[in-house]
């Protein structure tokens, strides 16, 4: 009953290699800046931990915990911020780390909310992007992988709060129980 995910669509090796590349790029882009890496929990926890260690410059770490209760909240992108930042980001260069950008509403809402705190810059990095799901015009500065419009789990992403600890990324397959 629990086996509702199939083969990896992104393997651990692919993930590691891509995160190394992103880390290098971010290191280059943020060298000399007052850099704050802000992770969006819970989904981004695994990606954040690996990405942060692939970035080779001094930085501050911070987190936002968000919850989107139900489809209505998700549609509006008005996710509830369960926790606030602990760092003062005014005048700093902020990189928001997301697990996945689908419609783009959540990321857009978070960028707008953080922008009110007057950072010097704010950019978005997401492990996964589903371009076919996009309904807002959002600039994403760093994308790990573009994936098709399917529901994925693992590597931080959940299905009903489970499967976040799966070490790879798999498409959720409700028909997969017979496997
Ligand atoms: P957006 O606001 O961009 O439409 O949706 C972003 C949020 O929807 C993500 O932070 C995540 O919580 C959820 N989401 C969208 N697609 C997926 C998916 O394929 N798998 C999982 N686990 N969550 C998803």
């Amino acid at each position: 009953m629990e086996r509702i995910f199939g083969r990896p669509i992104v393997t651990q090796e692919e993930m590691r290699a891509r995160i190394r590349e992103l880390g290098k790029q971010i290191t280059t882009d943020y060298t000399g800046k007052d850099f704050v890496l802000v992770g969006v929990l819970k989904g981004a926890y695994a990606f954040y931990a690996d990405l942060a260690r692939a970035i080779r410059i001094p930085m501050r770490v911070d987190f936002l915990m968000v919850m989107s209760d139900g489809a209505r909240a998700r549609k509006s992108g008005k996710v509830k911020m369960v926790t606030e930042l602990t760092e003062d980001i005014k005048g700093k260069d902020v990189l928001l780390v997301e697990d996945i950008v689908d419609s783009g509403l959540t990321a857009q809402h978070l960028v707008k909310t953080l922008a009110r705190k007057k950072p010097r810059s704010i950019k978005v990095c997401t492990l996964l992007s589903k371009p076919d799901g996009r309904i807002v015009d959002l600039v994403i500065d760093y994308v790990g992988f573009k994936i098709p419009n399917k529901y994925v789990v693992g590597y931080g992403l959940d299905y009903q709060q489970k499967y976040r600890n799966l070490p790879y990324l798999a498409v959720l397959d409700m028909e997969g129980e017979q496997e």
Side-chain angles (χ1 to χ4, degrees), residues 35-49 51-52 59-66 81-87 89 94-99 110 114 122-123 125-126:
F35 182 41
V36 191
L37 194 67
V38 174
V40 182
L41 299 175
K42 300 177 188 170
Y45 83 91
F47 175 46
Y48 184 100
L51 182 68
M59 65 175 179
R60 294 162 210 267
V61 302
D62 211 344
F63 301 93
L64 286 174
M65 186 176 275
V66 303
M81 270 197 211
V82 185
T83 61
E84 279 282 335
L85 293 181
T86 58
E87 295 290 325
I89 59 169
V94 173
L95 183 59
L96 192 68
V97 179
E98 277 273 16
D99 52 351
L110 293 177
L114 293 187
I122 176 154
K123 290 187 176 182
C125 174
T126 186

Side-chain angles (χ1 to χ4, degrees), residues 7 18 24 26 28 34 42 44 50 60 78-79 84 92 99 102 115 128 146 153 162 170-171:
R7 288 160 183 273
R18 183 70 187 116
K24 267 192 192 154
I26 293 167
T28 305
D34 200 349
K42 300 177 188 170
D50 288 343
R60 294 162 210 267
K78 289 213 165 74
V79 288
E84 279 282 335
K92 303 197 170 74
D99 52 351
D102 183 8
L128 306 164
K146 286 186 186 164
V153 295
K162 288 191 282 188
V171 172

Side-chain angles (χ1 to χ4, degrees), residues 40 66 68 74 77 98-107 130 133-134 147 150-153 157-159:
V40 182
V66 303
S68 55
R74 202 161 277 176
E98 277 273 16
D99 52 351
I100 186 162
V101 177
D102 183 8
S103 70
L105 284 165
T106 307
K130 289 182 182 171
R134 203 77 82 250
I147 61 166
K150 296 198 164 140
Y151 198 85
V152 292
V153 295
L157 288 101
D158 75 310
Y159 170 64

